[in-house]
Structure formats: C-alpha cells, structure tokens
Amino acid sequence: MSFIDGVRAEVRSLPAYNAGLSSDLVRTRYGVSHIAKLGSNENPRGASALVLAHLAKWTSAASLALYPDPSCSVLRAKIAEKLDAAPEQLLFGNGSEDLLAIAAHTFLAPGDEVVTVVPSFGLHIIYPQSVGAKVITVPMRADLEFDVDALIAAISPNTRMLIVSNPSNPVGCAMNASEMRRLLSAVSPNTLVLWDEAYFEYAAGEAGYPDSLAVLRESGLPWLLLRTFSKAYGLAGLRVGYGVASTPELAGLMERIRTPFNINQIAQEAAAVAFDDQSHVMASVEGTRVEREQMRAALEALGITPARSLANFLFFDCGEDAAALAARMLADGVIVKPWREAGYETCMRVSTGSAADNAMFIESYKRRRAAA
Ligand SMILES: *Cc1c(COP(=O)(O)O)cnc(C)c1O
C-alpha cells in the first residue's frame, strides 16, 4: 500500500473547488486585451478610497516584520458595537471560507449529518465532507426559491449542522423573516444553524430581507452567522470574513481550531477602515442594483428569465450546456460561472460588473449561444 492509499478516503474523494479562471490566464490564452471578469461576484468599484489611502502608509520594511494582532481587536470592537454583540461572540477568518472550514473541523465528526441546499456554494458541501460528514442536499423549488418545506422534511434531531446562504449563492433569492422563523422552529437544539450572509450588504435594503441576527437570537438554537469583506466592501483580495456565534462558548471552541494569526495586519486595518466607510458600501449597493436590473432586462429581451436576486449576480437557465457556452465566451474575454451540480448544468451565474463589462457579457452571450 502506498502512502497515498493511506490518506483518508473522504479526502481522496473530495472534488476540487471550482475557483474560476484568472483574468491573466484568459488574456494570455485568447489574446484579448480587456476581460469582463463576471465569475466571482467581486465589486467592480473596488475598495473604498479611504482604504487605499490607509494602505499607502504600509511602506516601511519594518512594519511587515511583526506578527499581526491575533485577536483583531480594533476590528472586533467596531463590529461588536455595530451588531450589539459581545466581542467574545465574534470570530475572524482569512475570508469567511476560512470560518466555514473552522466550523466543519470544530463541530463535525465522521458520519455526522449536514443539511444544505442545491445548487449551493461549493464549500458548504466540500468542508463538511472533508471531515467525513454526510451532506444531504435539498433542491431549490422549480421557481428557484428556497423549498422551506423540503428543508424542514430533511432535518431531524440527527442533523448536526444546517447550512444556508441567504441570499442564496448561486441563485440570489432569499428567505424572508417568516420563512426563516418557520424553518428554525423545526430545527433541533442539537443542530448548529450556519447562516451565511456573504451578500448581506446587497440584500439589507431589499423588501422582505430578514433581520437574521434578530431571528437567530430569538430562536434559542446554537447558531453561527457569517459575513465577509470580500463582496460589497470590495476587499476579496485581502481575505477578511467574520462570524457571530450564539454564545462566547461556541466561538471559543472555534478559536481553538483556527490558526492564531489567520488575519494579516494589512487586512485587519483595511477592513476596519472599510467598515467605517459605509458610504462606499451604499454607493456600491445602489449602483449594483441598477446595473443588475439592466442586465436582467437585457436577458429577458433574449427570452431568458433569471431568478430573483437580492445579491450582485443573476442565475439563469440558458437551455444548453452552460460549461460549453461559458468556454466559448472566454474567447470574447468574458468570464462567467457555469453551474456544475447535477440538475443545474444548463444554468450559469453572472456577476454584476461595471456597465461596460455587463454590456460585453450581453454581446458575447448573443454571439456565442447555441441559438445564434
Ligand atoms: C463569496 C462567498 C463566501 C466566501 O467569501 P470569502 O469571505 O471571500 O471567503 C462565503 N459564502 C458565500 C455564500 C459566498 O458567496
């Protein structure tokens, strides 16, 4: 038996995360000068100007030689105050994906049962599987809304973790407060509710979007709410996500699993400055809403019906092999995310980019689709 054969079976059978292509690779391979990078839900406006000004002070060699603050105290105090949480309830991750991994390693054991949805954010399945958990996936309804009844039917007192992204990535739809309450009232106190709000800032002002922190608090369940600086704050490259846990005790268990210096000092400072510049977030969110709905109208004019979206992307059925179509669109310098999960292979997700990049996407889509 080789060394590799001795590696845990759950690790050897894991799928690779589909992280999408980089702009540089597409530029080199296809010889296109401008890339419309609409596969990763990044903020086309980028980071706040205040963040860029702050980063300019990181110029001395000595400042990079020191370890970062292991507890992210400045950022922790700001977020705790805003959310009216105890600082000890907060957790920080090298992106919220880090917190998903930490939660899986802290709370799941081989054979444990996890319930989530499909189509899903890949890591909601991959990290639980990496520690040997069994993941049950509940499909969205045919109208691409959460199937709350099916989720309630899938959970049981044996469920160790329920993972939901609200708004959904990749679909964009969201549960409202009464749906969320109905779901949580069926959850056992033996289940951790992992509520991923990566797109919170985009959805917060939309009609019907729940105050999930309030709903989680009133549930009496163990829960972990995740948010990130990668999306509306435009800091995906710096890797900062945060979590709020129902109790300091729950957060403390995760603290033992995380690496001590998981948020670098530049990222901590940039996130703190970004958190204070809510006007940049608001401008990004408002611009995105306008551009997303323009893109929806352009797709509808082509006979396509994207799912409802409270986030910075649209998900739709293109009626053909989405991976093949997305591969043809690369030749135009357009990167989108074709869906790979069973039952959704004719669907793609396109991020809301700049108006120019969105127009490039529509032009490429028209030129490259099978019907054209
Ligand atoms: C983008 C995304 C994340 C990961 O964000 P990072 O903070 O960049 O790691 C987590 N969950 C969902 C649903 C996402 O879409």
Side-chain angles (χ1 to χ4, degrees):
M1 195 173 103
S2 73
F3 175 78
I4 295 285
D5 292 332
V7 173
R8 286 185 292 133
E10 51 265 28
V11 173
R12 282 182 285 132
S13 63
L14 277 183
Y17 179 67
N18 170 17
L21 297 170
S22 77
S23 295
D24 280 345
L25 191 126
V26 174
R27 208 176 278 123
T28 316
R29 191 185 293 170
Y30 295 95
V32 279
S33 53
H34 180 77
I35 304 294
K37 189 169 186 287
L38 304 176
S40 302
N41 300 342
E42 293 145 328
N43 182 343
R45 288 164 183 79
S48 148
L50 298 179
V51 168
L52 300 184
H54 183 85
L55 293 184
K57 81 165 208 189
W58 279 86
T59 47
S60 80
S63 61
L64 293 177
L66 304 178
Y67 279 97
D69 170 6
S71 59
C72 294
S73 5
V74 173
L75 185 59
R76 181 181 297 268
K78 280 184 196 299
I79 296 176
E81 191 190 346
K82 180 89 169 272
L83 301 183
D84 197 19
E88 300 75 25
Q89 282 177 276
L90 296 192
L91 290 142
F92 292 88
N94 189 19
S96 52
E97 61 183 20
D98 186 24
L99 293 168
L100 289 168
I102 294 167
H105 282 95
T106 307
F107 300 119
L108 297 175
D112 278 356
E113 194 178 290
V114 172
V115 171
T116 190
V117 297
V118 63
S120 73
F121 180 60
L123 300 176
H124 289 172
I125 295 176
I126 292 175
Y127 285 141
Q129 284 178 341
S130 76
V131 294
K134 185 171 136 248
V135 182
I136 296 168
T137 53
V138 176
M140 294 292 202
R141 293 191 328 215
D143 62 356
L144 290 176
E145 295 284 340
F146 282 101
D147 194 336
V148 177
D149 293 322
L151 278 165
I152 289 172
I155 54 182
S156 78
N158 291 328
T159 308
R160 285 298 287 168
M161 199 182 277
L162 168 67
I163 308 182
V164 173
S165 150
N166 199 52
S168 149
N169 176 11
V171 175
C173 65
M175 277 183 226
N176 63 28
S178 70
E179 290 166 323
M180 193 178 164
R181 277 197 200 94
R182 194 155 68 83
L183 173 62
L184 297 193
S185 68
V187 172
S188 147
N190 294 324
T191 307
L192 176 84
V193 178
L194 197 161
W195 206 256
D196 186 340
E197 289 193 327
Y199 303 93
F200 166 78
E201 295 79 11
Y202 290 108
E206 301 276 0
Y209 189 68
D211 178 349
S212 56
L213 197 50
V215 178
L216 288 166
R217 279 171 168 151
E218 77 194 20
S219 73
L221 297 166
W223 50 264
L224 175 66
L225 175 71
L226 298 185
R227 291 187 186 161
T228 181
F229 284 90
S230 296
K231 306 285 162 58
Y233 287 92
L235 293 179
L238 285 180
R239 316 302 305 124
V240 191
Y242 61 98
V244 192
S246 46
T247 61
E249 189 186 12
L250 205 90
L253 292 170
M254 291 178 69
E255 284 290 336
R256 295 176 205 185
I257 293 291
R258 76 167 173 99
T259 55
F261 300 104
N262 60 340
I263 319 295
N264 72 72
Q265 192 64 30
I266 297 179
Q268 289 186 32
E269 293 181 15
V273 173
F275 196 70
D276 282 342
D277 187 5
Q278 288 296 322
S279 67
H280 177 73
V281 175
M282 291 317 295
S284 297
V285 167
E286 276 157 30
T288 295
R289 187 175 301 139
V290 171
E291 285 142 17
R292 181 190 68 215
E293 294 312 310
Q294 278 170 358
M295 196 191 259
R296 176 190 302 281
L299 284 167
E300 283 175 349
L302 299 173
I304 286 159
T305 312
R308 184 168 75 99
S309 175
L310 285 74
N312 61 338
F313 52 82
L314 292 174
F315 186 75
F316 59 93
D317 189 341
C318 53
E320 60 179 291
D321 178 349
L325 173 55
R328 294 195 297 276
M329 293 174 74
L330 291 176
D332 297 327
V334 175
I335 303 176
V336 295
K337 188 137 175 166
W339 222 252
R340 301 250 162 94
E341 287 171 295
Y344 297 93
E345 299 100 329
T346 59
C347 295
M348 65 168 59
R349 189 194 69 196
V350 57
S351 309
T352 309
S354 66
D357 285 357
N358 299 342
M360 241 175 100
F361 158 74
I362 292 291
E363 278 316 302
S364 173
Y365 185 82
K366 278 195 228 171
R367 189 177 316 129
R368 303 290 175 178
R369 67 188 163 146

